[in-house]
Amino acid sequence: MLLAKSTWPEIEAFLQRSKTVVVPIGSNEQHGPTGLLGTDWMCPEIIAHEAQKASADLLVAPTFNIGMAQHHLGFPGTISLKPSTFMAAIGDWCRSLAGHGFTKIYFLNGHGGNVHSIEAAFSELYAEASFAGRPRGFACRLKNWWDLSGVNALASRQFPTGHGSHATPSEIAVTQWAYPDAIKSADYAPKIAPSGPIREALDFRARHPDGRMGSDPALATPEKGGELVAMAAKALIEDVAAFGAEAAPG
Ligand code: NI
């Protein structure tokens, strides 16, 4: 069930049977010469949208599609928030959803650079609840889509070398499966990109001239992407169900 394609009475009725909502979250940033700028928000969105087709109890909120991408700002098309803006926005999304009665907010993440700031935003929300003495039961969860059960192992089998950490063949394969009309190609030099630290934007571009980090995106195929989506969507349904069923202690 997609929140954006539902009406308020439908969400009110949904809340009678579930208090759990999934928010795909990512980033709009360069992904090398052939990766789509939307890769990091598209991957969790593709997986969550696929999963909700198979489970009537999975409610998917709109995608939070701008994240922590300051280090990619040396490449045209990247849009970034600062950590403080990002955390404030996550807080307001959660406060809005919690105000309607959602007590379990599950973020399916597609960008490693978001992780620390998402966790910090959760800490702010928990602190607010603690200082206000609010009732127990409200919980947020962060899950990277590649950490869903079985997904990392499948990606390792599909791409034993050249996976890397940015503009990876696994994430590009997922977008190729969902958007076959937007598949791009290029002659990569070197074939596997260099790895290195992540600092500010000019440093990043100097270390990673075409935007890739340790990856060979030429290994991506739509078929491999389809396998990853199928495995991730199944695991997402199970993980969200387990999160929703967690009872408050005591
Ligand atoms: Ni990415």
Side-chain angles (χ1 to χ4, degrees), residues 47-104:
I47 292 161
H49 285 206
E50 190 67 12
Q52 61 86 35
K53 289 180 195 163
S55 171
D57 285 333
L58 200 77
L59 175 65
V60 181
T63 302
F64 191 116
N65 61 9
I66 303 296
M68 304 291 305
Q70 61 79 19
H71 50 294
H72 294 299
L73 283 171
F75 297 87
T78 299
I79 303 172
S80 182
L81 298 175
K82 289 183 291 192
S84 51
T85 320
F86 179 78
M87 288 164 54
I90 289 178
D92 287 352
W93 280 50
C94 290
R95 288 180 199 97
S96 301
L97 292 164
H100 304 311
F102 289 101
T103 57
K104 301 283 177 67

Side-chain angles (χ1 to χ4, degrees), residues 29 31 39-40 110-111 166-167 171:
E29 61 183 46
H31 269 74
T39 298
D40 281 0
H111 176 51
H166 183 67
E171 61 183 350

Side-chain angles (χ1 to χ4, degrees), residues 124-210:
E124 288 279 352
L125 289 163
Y126 292 143
E128 246 174 58
S130 299
F131 285 116
R134 274 195 218 119
R136 293 172 299 156
F138 175 79
C140 297
R141 180 162 165 78
L142 162 68
K143 190 77 166 189
N144 299 315
W145 69 262
W146 52 86
D147 289 329
L148 287 164
S149 181
V151 175
N152 261 324
L154 174 58
S156 300
R157 289 196 299 277
Q158 291 175 326
F159 311 108
T161 58
H163 189 269
S165 59
H166 183 67
T168 66
S170 61
E171 61 183 350
I172 288 174
V174 168
T175 63
Q176 287 183 343
W177 175 78
Y179 303 109
D181 294 343
I183 295 175
K184 329 273 180 174
S185 61
D187 290 326
Y188 300 102
K191 187 170 158 52
I192 297 179
S195 295
I198 295 176
R199 292 173 186 151
E200 32 66 39
L202 294 180
D203 181 87
F204 186 97
R205 182 144 185 175
R207 291 177 191 277
H208 309 286
D210 72 0

